[in-house]
Structures are given as structure tokens and as C-alpha cells.
Amino acid sequence: MGSAAGETASRKPRVVLGVSAGIAAYKACELLRLFTESGHDVRVVPTREALKFVGAPTWAALSGHPVASEVWEDVHEVPHVRIGQEADLVVVAPATADVLAKAACGLAGDLLTNTLLTARCPVVFAPAMHTEMWEHPATRANVATLRERGSLVIDPAVGRLTGADTGPGRLPEPREIFEVCRAILSGRPRDLAGRRVVVSAGGTREALDPVRFLGNRSSGLQGYALARAAVARGAQVTVVSANVTLDDPAGATVVRVESARDMRDAVLAAYGTADVIVMAAAVADFRPAERSGSKIKKTSDEPDPIHLTKNPDILAELGALRRDTGGPGPAVIVGFAAETDDILANGQAKLKRKGCDLLVVNEVGENLAFGTPDNAAVILSADGPAVEVPRGPKDALAHVVLDLVAPRLA
């Protein structure tokens, strides 16, 4: 009994990587590498047509397992049943419109579709196709069916497609797909399924002239970690992203902004349909009172002083809007407070002043929070005790925040 338990605990997580016949199949090689190098045991199951894009020897060499696409190969091992039964996760990337349709209808014409039918583990689809195919009512209906059955279908990215076309339908970056899958393998609940989550990320910039701006050191890493975590937990996610150079989180819609006023407009535009708003961005408190139309020249004289004026307080405005209207709007509002001293006292005052439900207070400074892969925080609540989160990966802090958000939605 103890030996079996030890074997289960020590074995590598088993991942099935399904690959369907899209030009983005070559990107699945990178996804496979990310899985294998992080200690996962990966079995690649391509469709027959997918092998025209990337051949079986490539998949076998990268995974360390033989590759088959038909149920008639190695029949004595019953692969059409066994592969799905033994998997801890099945991810199909790219998932074409054809494979989505077959999965939604329960067809079982090859090894991949048989595997999808026998899998009792989490299943993730990362669609990639032309915009017209993604937006077709048949595809939308198939996606809705798969989501209703519990599968996670990641919305495709917006960008360059085959040829000169651009639009929604691009496969998200492999690293971002991997991060969503890793969160699912860690056992995170799908407790945000059907919810709309808005996350602000990055740091706003306030223009002095066409060249210079006032800004801050925020990289957007924490906001993007929150977006990834929300996608993995089933949410429909919009990221209002200010001056971020990171890859878009897989499955999230990204709205790009620059200034605090731009961010305010974008967040308020999403306010009425959002269930949750998480203001993780570092929003400038002030902006230059006047913006020069041309580059400010250096002269021998002392430079003119820069006069500042207040920016809108987006978080406080959200809290007041919810309090005063009582109409449609987010059930949960989460704020972030970056502090350098008197962290808890300043945080408690801000929580009361801003009118949010949760306030994530973290210390910032040299090599702290901004631009680093880790973070530590105290999460203050308007209706409960504070939660201290020790220093660790920003993804871990993101899930602690969402652990506190989900019960408030219920």
C-alpha cells in the first residue's frame, strides 16, 4: 500500500499532447519541450493530417515515446483507451475547427479523438485557425458545448495568421499555454468558470513632450500572472495593459493603453459586464499639467519647473460607482497598493478610502516587486482577517488572491 502510494507520488505527471493539422503545429514542438524539461512525461498524439506539418520522428525524438495517429497501431496495448485513461492532462495545440467539431460531437475516428473520449482528466484546447473559421457560428457552438462539458477552451490570440491575414485565430505563445496547463495540473479549481474578470497590468506613462514621459518601474508581471491564473480557473479575462512588453496571456483579451486616463476609459468600458475587477497596474497619481507639442530643448538656463496635476483615482472611482449606482457591475473589486514604508497602516487607510473588497499591499523598492519574478504581500479584506503571503512566485500570489475572490462571487 505504502509502495503504491510512493510510486504515485514520485511518478512524472502524464500529459497527452494532441496535435491537429494546422500550420501552427510547429509551435507545439516548443510546448512539448517546455513540458519535458519541467519533468512531465508527454505522449504526443497527432492526427494523420498533422504529420504532414511535423513528422512522427520529430515528435518521437522530443518526447521519448513512439508516435501513432491511428487506433490500429500497437493494438495489443489498446492505446485508444489506455492513453486517455492514464493521462493527468490532455492538451490539444493547435486545435483546428475540425478537431473541435469532432470533439464536440463525440466522434472517434482516430487515436486523438478516441483519447479525448476516454480521458477523465482535465482537457485543454488551444484553437488556431483563420478568423472566419473561429467566428463561424458552428465553431462558436462547438466551443460552447466543450466548455459546458468542463473542457477549457483557450481563446486564440489576435495577430498575424497564414499569409497576409491578421485577426483572432493565432495560437497563443507556447510558454503561455504551458503556464495555463501547469496551473491546471497543480489542482487549481475551475471556480471562475463563466465569470468575466478584468485585470489591469503594467505601469502608466504620462507624456511631458513627444519624447519624454513620467512613468514607473512596473513590468506587468503580477497583472499577467493574475490573468493567467483566472484563465486557468475558467474565467473570461480582459487585460488592460499599460506599456507591457510581455507575451499576451493565453486565452485573455488584451486592451493596450498608455496613460492613466486611457486606463480609466478602458476599465470603465468593461465595468458593466465584469464580475471581478483587479487593479494590479501601477497607475500614476500625477501627470504634467501641460504637454509640450515639441521636444523640450536643453538650454544654458535652468529648466522650467514641471507643474503636475492629479490623475483620476480609478480604484476609488470604481468603488464609488458601485456604491452609488447599485446597478450592474463587479461583485468583487481588488486593489493593489505599492508601499515603501508604514505598509500596513497605509494599506488599511487605503482599503477604507478606496471602497474595494480586497487590497493587496506589497513593499516596493530596489529589487522588490517591480520587475522581479517573485512577490510578497499582505491581503487586506473589508470583511475578514488579513492574509499574509510569503515571498514566492507571482503566480502563487495570483492564486491566493483568486482563492479569496471566488467565495465572494458565490
Side-chain angles (χ1 to χ4, degrees):
M1 184 74 174
S3 175
E7 181 181 345
T8 301
S10 63
R11 75 168 176 83
K12 295 180 178 181
R14 292 169 178 163
V15 176
V16 175
L17 174 57
V19 183
S20 56
I23 190 64
Y26 75 94
K27 291 185 176 181
C29 296
E30 174 67 9
L31 181 58
L32 171 57
R33 185 188 67 80
L34 290 167
F35 274 119
T36 56
E37 290 189 356
S38 58
H40 298 80
D41 181 16
V42 187
R43 178 74 180 258
V44 182
V45 182
T47 64
R48 184 189 312 110
E49 294 79 10
L51 293 175
K52 296 180 180 179
F53 290 96
V54 180
T58 298
W59 298 123
L62 292 175
S63 69
H65 289 292
V67 173
S69 60
E70 305 295 344
V71 297
W72 307 110
E73 300 177 51
D74 298 319
V75 175
H76 64 289
E77 295 182 353
V78 200
H80 71 290
V81 173
R82 180 178 54 81
I83 293 173
Q85 286 178 335
E86 294 179 351
D88 297 303
L89 174 75
V90 177
V91 54
V92 184
T96 59
D98 180 66
V99 162
L100 292 174
K102 289 175 178 175
C105 293
L107 299 180
D110 59 12
L111 188 56
L112 177 55
T113 49
N114 273 270
T115 298
L116 290 170
L117 280 179
T118 56
R120 292 299 178 266
C121 59
V123 177
V124 177
F125 293 92
M129 63 196 73
H130 264 71
T131 301
E132 292 83 358
M133 301 171 75
W134 172 248
E135 294 178 345
H136 193 283
T139 303
R140 305 308 296 163
N142 291 330
V143 168
T145 296
L146 292 170
R147 285 173 172 165
E148 287 169 5
R149 293 177 186 160
S151 296
L152 176 59
V153 184
I154 300 172
D155 281 352
V158 177
R160 183 72 177 267
L161 306 174
T162 306
D165 292 346
T166 299
R170 181 183 175 90
L171 186 73
E173 291 304 311
R175 167 68 66 178
E176 294 300 319
I177 299 173
F178 170 72
E179 292 296 345
V180 170
C181 291
R182 188 165 66 168
I184 293 172
L185 280 166
S186 70
R188 301 294 181 183
R190 296 289 306 286
D191 50 5
L192 297 180
R195 300 292 191 173
R196 294 177 181 267
V197 176
V198 177
V199 179
S200 73
T204 60
R205 295 176 179 178
E206 310 301 326
L208 288 164
D209 61 23
V211 177
R212 304 177 182 91
F213 60 84
L214 297 178
N216 58 65
R217 296 181 179 182
S218 178
S219 62
L221 286 169
Q222 187 63 73
Y224 275 44
L226 282 154
R228 279 196 301 269
V231 168
R233 296 169 82 138
Q236 182 177 335
V237 180
T238 298
V239 181
V240 181
S241 178
N243 309 298
V244 169
T245 59
L246 307 171
D247 289 330
D248 291 351
T253 299
V254 178
V255 178
R256 304 190 190 284
V257 299
E258 182 168 350
S259 70
R261 287 176 290 178
D262 296 337
M263 178 165 284
R264 174 187 179 274
D265 292 343
V267 171
L268 289 180
Y271 174 90
T273 58
D275 296 298
V276 181
I277 295 181
V278 184
M279 292 297 298
V283 183
D285 294 323
F286 306 98
R287 67 180 185 275
E290 294 184 0
R291 178 186 185 275
S292 174
S294 58
K295 180 182 176 182
I296 300 170
K297 297 295 184 181
K298 181 171 64 176
T299 67
S300 58
D301 300 327
E302 287 295 317
D304 292 333
I306 298 171
H307 297 287
L308 302 177
T309 186
K310 279 187 176 182
N311 268 326
D313 187 332
I314 305 172
L315 182 58
E317 188 172 352
L318 292 173
L321 184 61
R322 183 177 63 173
R323 181 190 67 235
D324 295 341
T325 62
V332 182
I333 298 175
V334 182
F336 270 68
E339 300 290 344
T340 58
D341 50 55
D342 295 331
I343 294 172
L344 281 180
N346 287 332
Q348 292 285 4
K350 280 189 177 180
L351 176 66
K352 188 176 297 185
R353 188 170 69 250
K354 304 285 187 177
C356 52
D357 303 287
L358 298 169
L359 187 72
V360 183
V361 187
N362 58 335
E363 184 179 3
V364 297
E366 199 69 33
N367 299 318
L368 285 175
F370 286 159
T372 66
D374 57 7
N375 207 349
V378 176
I379 306 174
L380 303 178
S381 169
D383 58 1
V387 175
E388 188 168 348
V389 184
R391 186 161 304 281
K394 288 183 173 177
D395 286 331
L397 174 58
H399 280 290
V400 175
V401 172
L402 296 181
D403 287 343
L404 296 171
V405 165
R408 287 169 167 79
L409 291 172

